[in-house]
Every structure is written in structure tokens, then in C-alpha cells.
Amino acid sequence: MAAGKCFDWLSKKCCSSLPCRPFEEELKMSDGDQTYHYQRSDTLTGTLLSPVSDDDNKNRFFSREGLAVTRGGHKGKAIAVLTSGGDSQGMNATLRAVCRMGLYMGARMYFIKEGYQGMVDGGENIVEAGWVSISGIIHKGGTVIGSARCKEFRERSGRLKAAANLVRHGITNLVVIGGDGSLTGANLFRQEWGSLLDELVEQGEITPSKRAECSSLNIVGMVGSIDNDFCGTDMTIGTDSALHRIMEAIDAIVTTASSHQRTFILEVMGRHCGYLALVAALASEADFVFIPEWPPEKDWPDILCKKLKQERDLGQRLNTIIIAEGALDRHGNPITAEQIRQVVMENLKQDSRITVLGHVQRGGSPSAFDRVLGCRMGAEAVLALFEATPESEACVVSLDGNQAVRVPLMECVQKTKGVAKCMSESRWEEAVKLRGRSFERNLQTYRMLTRLRPPKSAFDSLGHGTGGYTLAVMHVGAPCCGMNAAVRSFVRNCLYRGDVVYGIHDGIEGLIEGN
């Protein structure tokens, strides 16, 4: 193979036209008697590829997904994993992946029960895990090793106890599954590690040789939260399952709401993030949504009532309003479900009911997506730990597109805190942008699809579309879930632009027959 050229490990051909990136890691792959040296050209995610000269970004979005690993290549190392903060579906799948990946690569694996509290208390809270000990947990919700908030760990004295407990077991690699607060605490723990060990040596808790043996602490984080409030990842572990719970509840409620011509106001979780409310509103055709990142206009009671009345006048038998638990108005004041109900009752005299879904959203079995996401992230986290050095920056394993990648932990934490700062300063557009492209596009799509009518600019004085295109849509082949949502979005997008749209019934046969 020519030096300085990329090697495609799938086709086993040298991509002579593609120069290797100097910062990509050289890897080996054996095929019988032949050993290939190659540099994987998609090591960085496609949307985040940076030029060769971009030294600032070269290691920022790194991933080893899809590459072969060496079995038993890291014997003697010890890894501990804990879950902290609020639980979420998919955490057990992540625990299982971390444990089995670590064992496969030769490491000793430990579970720390009850989060940081278990690390501080030590003793029976730190237990060695085996291959069989995490069997049969991938389908379970919550976390089998428990989670707890620990005030003691926020103090240096608590972190000193935690360090002593880890050193006793020879643990110098830590996987933390939790929210931004848990990950921030882990990063602080890592920064203080050296001074904590020095203090333990002075107190006689550990020997100088033990201090040298455990001189550095490597940490990798993964975000387990149904809120999807962490900047730097497209999806957090548990979000998809929570959305499934919300949609099941909405689908059940709309039938009874339609029977009695009622207006239902559903409050969903999310704390200070409106992702669950926004996506649930988009997926359920909700008539109105309240989220903290994009508050309604100052005269929202009038706008809401006008829209609900128009829909009833057009023959709609029910209305659905979704509100995030942290919803705000333009002045930063909370908007509550009861407040919305009063507005609807007093102005429209509609029978209105409130449903607070609460912790139902965090319970139950994880979805297939969250199980697979936990498995992929957990495996990548172990690889990140083994490749970490005392000088490397703490990272968090995130999802970018469809790839598990490593991103700088504290950079993501600061960006997440920046969203709250923007909201407190009423910089709403900036807050939406900081949530990410996916959030921004979901908001734009929802606002467009829930319009009662296309904008006036889409039609001329004779009522003809100004878009200039005539389009048609039809279904071909076997039906599948989501087809109706796709047609609805396509048609309304076209009408919004002023295009003419035709629906072709019965696929190709309908097209032939002019149906």
C-alpha cells in the first residue's frame, strides 16, 4: 500500500485519490496471512469533518464505532460505572454494554450502587461485576444499580472519601451515566484527583506506591435523561422511550376527547427543556404547544382562543394543547396548565380537562432505539477510557446523526448552561439555536404544519398558487407506519409554498386509471 494514502477497509483497496489525514489513527486489520494497514476516512462524523489544517477540531468528534477491538488487550485495568441523577429507560442497556465490553477487553468491572452516594459510602456499594451478573436487564427500565443525589459529593470532604474508596479497589477509570450536573461533578473529581490522593497519603489512608499506581483518573460520560436537554448530542438515553409513553397517552386521550368535544391540556416533563413537548406536539398534531425556549406572544390567550374557535367552526370535535412543565411567557413568568384551562373555559366555554403525565414518562421498558443507543454508547465509552491519557480532555459519548462520537465534556456543559442564560435574558432565538439544528427544525416544522390555512402570499387574487409547481404524491408497495405523517407534511409544505398538489389513490394502478 502506498504511504500517505487512505485504505478502504471494506473493499480492501487503496483510495489513491484521497490523502490520509495526518491526525487519524493508523489501525491494523488481518485477513488470513495478510495484515493491512489502513486509516479510516470516516473516523470523524461526516457532518463534522474538518480540514487537515483545523487542529482545533481534529480530535473533537472522534469515534471508533465499527472498528475491530483486541480481546483481552487491557488486562489489569479496572473500570467502575455508576448512574446518577434522574433515571431513564435505556440505562440498563448502557450498563450491560459497558460491563461486557470492558470484560471482553480484559478489564475488571465494578458497579457503584446508588450513584455518587455509593461512591462516598463505599463498602458493599462497590461490587465487582461479571458477565452473567448483567444478564437479563436490557429490557428493564430505570437502573438496576440505583441512583441517588448526593450532597456530600459536592464538598471536597465527600470527594476525598470517594477517592479513597476507588483507590482501595484499584479503580482509575470511571463511566458516569447521568445529566449535566452529574457529569460536571465527575469532571471536577477528575481535576482534583491528584490533590485528593496527596491528601490521602498525608493522612496515611494510602501508601505512596498506591498513589503512584493510581496517579490519574480517566472519566467518560454518557447522558441518561428523558429531557434531551444536553447540548452536544442529538438524543439522550431515555428520550425516545419517554416520547413513546407520551404518544400512547395522547392517542388514548383523543378518543374520549372527541366523544365529548373536549379540550385536553397535557403537561409533559422536560424540566427547562421543551423537546418532549415540541416533538409530541409535532407527532400528534396538537393545536398549541407551550415550551420554555420559545414562549408564546404577549397576547397568547387571544391567539389561542381564536385558533381553537376557528377549528371548532371548521368541524373539529376536539382540541389538544401540550405544555412543557417549564413553560414561560415572554416576561419569563411560568405558564401553568391550570392557567391555560381557565383561559379556554372563560373565553370559549369549552369543557377542558388537564392531564399531567408525570413519572409515567420515565417508567416502563425502554424502546428498541434506546436499547441500541445504550449498547452503542456503552461500547464506545469503554474504548474512550482505554485510549485516554492524563493529558486528554474529559469527553462525553454523544449521538451525531447515526454515529456514537466523543465530544468535549465541559464544552457541552457550558453550551447547555448557555441555553438557560439566554432564556433568562429573553434571547429566545439564540436559545432555540443552542438547542441544536434538530430542535430548531422541529419548531419550524410544527409552526408550519399547524397553520389553519396557507399564508396569503401563497395565492394570487384569483386563488391560484404562486409556487409554480404541480406535484403529486402516492404510495407504492406495502404500507408502513409513518406514511400518513409523511403525506401530511409533504402536502402542507407544498401548499405553504403555493404549489398545486394531487393525491394519487391506489398506487400505480390508480395512476393508470386516473384516480
Side-chain angles (χ1 to χ4, degrees):
M1 175 182 160
K5 300 296 182 182
C6 272
F7 186 78
D8 185 339
W9 66 285
L10 292 176
S11 63
K12 298 179 182 176
K13 294 179 180 178
C14 182
C15 306
S16 58
S17 61
L18 297 175
C20 290
R21 295 175 183 271
F23 55 83
E24 289 181 350
E25 182 179 358
E26 186 174 12
L27 301 163
K28 296 180 181 180
M29 183 177 180
S30 297
D31 180 18
D33 299 329
Q34 184 77 29
T35 299
Y36 296 99
H37 296 260
Y38 66 93
Q39 291 184 305
R40 187 177 176 186
S41 57
D42 63 343
T43 299
L44 303 182
T45 58
T47 56
L48 297 169
L49 284 173
S50 55
V52 175
S53 60
D54 189 355
D55 293 331
D56 292 336
N57 291 323
K58 64 184 182 183
N59 292 319
R60 205 172 259 181
F61 300 98
F62 184 75
S63 176
R64 286 285 300 275
E65 270 203 318
L67 301 183
V69 296
T70 304
R71 182 176 182 178
H74 294 274
K75 291 182 179 179
K77 292 188 177 181
I79 300 175
V81 57
L82 64 89
T83 53
S84 178
D87 66 308
S88 65
Q89 306 95 323
M91 279 186 167
N92 288 324
T94 313
L95 291 171
R96 173 178 174 271
V98 170
C99 183
R100 290 200 167 174
M101 188 65 169
L103 291 171
Y104 180 85
M105 298 184 73
R108 288 178 292 114
M109 297 301 304
Y110 291 89
F111 285 149
I112 301 177
K113 298 181 179 179
E114 313 305 335
Y116 285 119
Q117 189 64 57
M119 192 193 298
V120 172
D121 294 340
E124 296 181 353
N125 290 304
I126 302 177
V127 296
E128 189 165 359
W131 193 271
V132 179
S133 63
I134 36 81
S135 297
I137 66 170
I138 194 171
H139 65 284
K140 295 181 179 180
T143 165
V144 294
I145 61 174
S147 179
R149 305 187 189 278
C150 180
K151 292 183 179 180
E152 196 172 356
F153 190 77
R154 297 178 183 178
E155 305 296 330
R156 182 177 171 85
S157 58
R159 295 191 290 273
L160 187 67
K161 294 179 183 177
N165 290 325
L166 292 186
V167 170
R168 289 190 186 101
H169 291 86
I171 297 170
T172 56
N173 297 282
L174 189 63
V175 176
V176 179
I177 307 169
D180 59 340
S182 301
L183 300 183
T184 302
N187 187 65
L188 176 61
F189 189 45
R190 177 179 185 261
Q191 291 173 343
E192 293 182 344
W193 181 257
S195 62
L196 290 172
L197 295 195
D198 291 338
E199 192 170 337
L200 290 173
V201 171
E202 292 176 3
Q203 295 177 357
E205 293 286 334
I206 62 173
T207 63
S209 60
K210 195 68 174 177
R211 193 256 184 259
E213 181 184 335
C214 304
S215 58
S216 62
L217 176 69
N218 301 317
I219 64 164
V220 172
M222 285 177 283
V223 187
S225 169
I226 68 167
D227 301 336
N228 202 30
D229 58 350
F230 191 78
C231 295
T233 183
D234 289 345
M235 190 77 83
T236 58
I237 299 166
T239 301
D240 185 70
S241 301
L243 283 172
H244 276 268
R245 302 291 177 275
I246 295 170
M247 294 311 303
E248 288 169 0
I250 293 174
D251 291 343
I253 283 173
V254 294
T255 56
T256 181
S258 178
S259 299
H260 297 276
Q261 299 190 61
R262 284 177 174 148
T263 295
F264 264 86
I265 302 147
L266 287 91
E267 182 183 299
V268 301
M269 297 177 82
R271 206 170 45 166
H272 304 299
C273 178
Y275 182 87
L276 290 178
L278 177 59
V279 176
L282 180 61
S284 65
E285 298 186 65
D287 302 294
F288 218 89
V289 64
F290 293 85
I291 59 174
E293 295 89 346
W294 191 259
E297 300 298 328
K298 296 179 181 178
D299 57 343
W300 67 265
D302 296 332
I303 296 173
L304 172 63
C305 292
K306 181 180 178 181
K307 184 176 184 182
L308 298 185
K309 185 179 185 304
Q310 287 177 332
E311 289 177 338
R312 291 299 177 98
D313 291 343
L314 292 171
Q316 188 167 310
R317 290 183 58 87
L318 75 149
N319 294 108
T320 307
I321 301 168
I322 298 180
I323 176 173
E325 61 183 354
L328 306 169
D329 63 18
R330 289 273 163 176
H331 299 291
N333 300 314
I335 297 177
T336 65
E338 178 59 31
Q339 187 178 351
I340 297 170
R341 192 184 77 87
Q342 290 294 333
V343 168
V344 175
M345 291 281 289
E346 292 173 5
N347 292 278
L348 300 178
K349 312 301 180 187
Q350 291 181 4
D351 187 7
S352 304
R353 303 295 172 90
I354 295 172
T355 298
V356 180
L357 297 184
H359 285 73
V360 167
Q361 297 159 89
R362 274 186 16 194
S365 298
S367 65
F369 180 90
D370 277 327
R371 298 183 197 195
V372 174
L373 180 63
C375 290
R376 293 175 60 189
M377 284 188 169
E380 183 69 21
V382 173
L383 295 177
L385 279 176
F386 288 145
E387 294 168 10
T389 65
E391 294 75 29
S392 60
E393 188 176 5
C395 71
V396 59
V397 178
S398 302
L399 184 70
D400 181 75
N402 193 36
Q403 187 168 11
V405 298
R406 310 169 197 173
V407 292
L409 171 58
M410 291 313 297
E411 185 177 308
C412 296
V413 170
Q414 292 304 319
K415 194 174 181 181
T416 303
K417 292 180 178 179
V419 178
K421 188 173 187 294
C422 286
M423 290 193 293
S424 66
E425 297 173 356
S426 300
R427 292 185 282 130
W428 310 114
E429 290 187 6
E430 192 174 344
V432 170
K433 287 184 180 297
L434 284 174
R435 283 289 184 216
R437 289 172 296 174
S438 176
F439 189 96
E440 187 176 11
R441 288 172 183 169
N442 284 337
L443 179 59
Q444 293 169 351
T445 303
Y446 173 78
R447 295 176 69 190
M448 186 272 293
L449 292 181
T450 52
R451 291 178 64 102
L452 288 177
R453 296 180 179 86
K456 294 180 180 179
S457 59
F459 299 92
D460 59 23
S461 58
L462 299 177
H464 299 143
T466 59
Y469 290 94
T470 301
L471 305 101
V473 58
M474 68 177 179
H475 289 157
V476 179
C480 66
C481 300
M483 278 185 165
N484 291 329
V487 170
R488 171 177 175 265
S489 180
F490 173 78
V491 171
R492 291 202 171 181
N493 264 286
C494 294
L495 294 176
Y496 186 85
R497 288 161 34 93
D499 299 323
V500 177
V501 192
Y502 290 93
I504 300 173
H505 292 256
D506 304 323
I508 298 296
E509 292 181 0
L511 178 62
I512 295 172
E513 296 173 1
N515 187 7

